Amino acid sequence: MSIQSLKPIFEAENIAIVGASKDPGKAAHQIQKRMIKQGFKGRLFPVNPREKEILGLPCYPSVADIKERLDLIVICVPARAVLSVMRQAADREDIKGAVIISAGFAETGIPQQAELQQEIVEVARAAKIRVFGPNCIGVINTRISLNTTFSPGCDALPGDIGYFTQSGALGGSLIMLALDQPYPLGYSKWAHVGNMCDVNNLEILEYYGQDPEVKVIAGYMEGVPNGRELMILADRITRKKPVLLLKVGRTDIGSKATFSHTGTLSGSDKIYDAAFAQSGIVRVNTVDELIYSAKALSMAPYPAGNRVCIITEAGGPGIIAMDELGSDKSVRLAPVTEKTQEAIKEALPPMAMVCKPNGYIDMTAAAMEKEHMDTLRLVLDDPNVDSAILISLPPTFLPAEKLAQEIAGVIKEYKKPVMVCFMKGEPMLAARAYLEEAGIPTFDTPAQASRALINMTKAAARLDFQGSGFSDVGKAAGKAHQLVEGAAKEMRNLLEPEAIKLLSDYGLRMYPHFLVNSREEAVKAAKEIGFPVVLKIVSPQIIHKSEYKGVRLNLKNEEEVAGSYDSLVGHIKTAAPEAEIKGVLAAPFVTEGIEVIVGMIRDPQFGPVVMFGSGGIMVEVFQDVSFRVAPFSKEAALQMIKETKISQVLKGIRGEEPKDIDSLANLLAKIGDVAVDNPMISEMDLNPVLVLEKGVTVLDARVIIGE
């Protein structure tokens, strides 16, 4: 159904509460009471065959007995009665939505209850009724005081944040935390999806993305029904408005054995991190971080860049802010101009530390209102500063509220965000409330202020993004390669010569090689390749050759090649008698260049995911890796490389010439294309890949075929 089918629910004018009750201990009573108290703009119709009126409103025996038009029904009856109510709703032909508060369906794990839920879905779909739940508390639209929840503290205070949640209790806590700020933080919409038998969290995300009343989207997710759909949707939305997500839990990559380094390293949480960043979602780690980041994005102007200046009147809190900013590469300390530095020195007491390091200003506790104002104005006026953090714990001789009034005037002169940290406590509460009422976000701690600014900077960098995002790159897969199809039919992995052929056909530079089956052929191949060479066993049963000592390196002449061929084949026949030997691969022994690893694994939620990192046998120890969901652009691949420590080595250190990072990025993007085109491939492991001063060379290729 169109996403616009949710609008009649969020904008409902006439609502029936089925299972209405006079008992304050019942959810239906609390829902009706809250709607009346908060001034719902539409009409409520309580439904209970045993009551004449509830909370001053006439009661109806059934949904069928209500003669007026209905937009939405809120169902609060036992699970066994819900299907009957839905059939009555379907017969009316005017109801557009249902919020099923009732529990006891698929979430119980009982097959009969899951079947009952499915019957409800079928009735609803036939009648084109959208369903929230079951086992949910529904929706809030603060503009019309629509509120189907019974969670405590979920009052309606208009604002511009849109919340969605897979947990009713956690979702209610988000509102309570937001309203418990020094000046209550309002919101526009709120939705809990419950069992997601119909409406799911991705639909809410899309609806908020189109809703002009929602400026910032904040969500709590426990699972993703379709990771690639989430990425395509978020890639589009985050170019227009920020999306903050608190994602908890872990996905299961699969119970089968993992054959590649990539599979070993690709914990599902790392893939979520990569997928979210790739599609513009700002991932947060705690409930508090979700709220204070949403507050910053809701209140403050967005920064034009990532250059941050810290202004503090106390050293300790300032260092905490420095540590937090230093933990994330999305921001950096602002390179304040010398002119600004000199002006700040003149404005502050002699003991102040100005730009040591650059971008950090410790005004000291001697700074009064004027020093705060002058320093802040000079910093915000500097063209090299995009945003600022102001940290203060005003002493008793500097009234906090008076200081707040003075700095608020300065902040409002500029279209640059300022995160104000007046440390949490009763003496600071009035000052913070004044600032937040003026639209200036405040924070309990320096770490909170810094993290909020980091998240704001990430979100702002994505707005009006014109580059290639996930939804722009290679939506349609090409034709699967014949080698992959053939191996899949035979239920085996690709042999290394086949893997080399596959990658070569995709335009990747592979090493010269020969598949030989005798010592004479091995010697002939080595002479053609040129010494030194390497010999590698080729067997469908041997995935990791090093574990079976299935490789002979640095063979410098014909005698070494001949002897090594015999010893290699003989050893494998003894060490792995069940292994079918298809031959021996002869290839050049290469030592120049920087070793890296490139891999791919197929994730249950996101599909093919490409990994890059430091190569060699120690990759699993150091875990210097980054991930991207395929397909992705060359630009995304360059960023992927930049996220690793090995990227510094590739740039050239200690007099070494820089390596061909551009060709490496092409390789990464191309491996993504291979994975998208060939869904039968479950894992790929290219380790090592040598990055040379010109070009890259894949020295070992492993391609695993899945079920």
Side-chain angles (χ1 to χ4, degrees), residues 282 297 302-308 330-332 386-387 417 450-463:
V282 178
L297 286 160
Y302 296 165
N306 68 346
R307 301 167 299 179
V308 183
S330 300
V331 295
R332 62 191 179 100
D386 298 310
S387 58
S450 302
R451 180 50 54 180
L453 186 53
I454 290 168
N455 291 339
M456 171 182 265
T457 303
K458 289 179 180 178
R462 181 74 180 187
L463 298 178

Side-chain angles (χ1 to χ4, degrees), residues 544-562:
H544 289 295
K545 302 177 187 67
S546 59
E547 293 180 2
Y548 289 87
K549 298 182 180 178
V551 181
R552 298 293 184 269
L553 302 172
N554 197 19
L555 307 176
K556 301 181 181 68
N557 52 53
E558 295 180 25
E559 291 75 18
E560 288 186 7
V561 170

Side-chain angles (χ1 to χ4, degrees), residues 1 90 120-129:
M1 291 186 184
I120 291 168
V121 172
E122 291 169 1
V123 170
R125 285 178 179 166
K128 296 183 179 179
I129 297 173

Side-chain angles (χ1 to χ4, degrees), residues 123-304:
V123 170
R125 285 178 179 166
K128 296 183 179 179
I129 297 173
R130 301 307 311 272
V131 177
F132 277 74
N135 186 32
C136 85
I137 53 179
V139 298
I140 301 174
N141 181 349
T142 60
R143 176 172 48 78
I144 61 174
S145 298
L146 165 62
N147 190 334
T148 69
T149 75
F150 54 82
S151 292
C154 288
D155 296 331
L157 179 66
D160 55 18
I161 301 171
Y163 295 105
F164 68 93
T165 175
Q166 280 184 257
S167 164
L170 195 284
S173 298
L174 291 177
I175 296 177
M176 285 193 289
L177 283 168
L179 296 178
D180 192 40
Q181 299 301 301
Y183 187 81
L185 180 63
Y187 60 105
S188 174
K189 306 288 192 308
W190 183 97
H192 173 222
V193 291
N195 288 8
M196 294 195 290
C197 77
D198 177 27
V199 178
N200 63 46
N201 47 26
L202 296 189
E203 288 185 278
I204 302 299
L205 176 61
E206 185 174 7
Y207 183 79
Y208 287 172
Q210 298 177 12
D211 188 343
E213 295 180 351
V214 173
K215 176 185 175 185
V216 181
I217 302 172
Y220 168 81
M221 299 179 72
E222 295 169 356
V224 179
N226 187 320
R228 298 181 77 80
E229 184 182 344
L230 169 64
M231 291 185 68
I232 292 170
L233 182 61
D235 182 53
R236 187 169 66 246
I237 292 173
T238 55
R239 300 173 190 236
K240 300 300 179 184
K241 59 181 71 173
V243 176
L244 302 166
L245 284 186
L246 172 58
K247 165 66 182 70
V248 298
R250 300 291 184 265
T251 61
D252 181 12
I253 286 181
S255 58
K256 68 179 180 62
T258 298
F259 295 110
S260 69
H261 288 296
T262 311
T264 304
L265 294 162
S266 60
S268 60
D269 206 45
K270 293 180 181 178
I271 294 175
Y272 270 107
D273 278 343
F276 284 9
Q278 196 172 339
S279 52
I281 296 170
V282 178
R283 188 177 187 184
V284 301
N285 295 313
T286 66
V287 174
D288 284 337
E289 186 183 351
L290 185 65
I291 293 300
Y292 61 66
S293 297
K295 175 165 72 171
L297 286 160
S298 173
M299 287 186 176
Y302 296 165

Side-chain angles (χ1 to χ4, degrees), residues 49-105:
R50 295 184 298 276
E51 301 291 348
K52 295 297 183 183
E53 66 84 27
I54 296 176
L55 293 173
L57 296 177
C59 215
Y60 296 82
S62 71
V63 171
D65 292 307
I66 301 173
K67 303 306 178 187
E68 289 83 352
R69 186 196 85 246
L70 287 179
D71 304 307
L72 175 67
I73 56 172
V74 180
I75 303 176
C76 306
V77 299
R80 63 181 180 276
V82 173
L83 183 58
S84 174
V85 173
M86 286 301 299
R87 286 173 174 156
Q88 292 178 35
D91 290 342
R92 287 183 58 99
E93 299 184 350
D94 60 347
I95 294 173
K96 305 302 181 187
V99 171
I100 303 179
I101 305 291
S102 315
F105 294 92

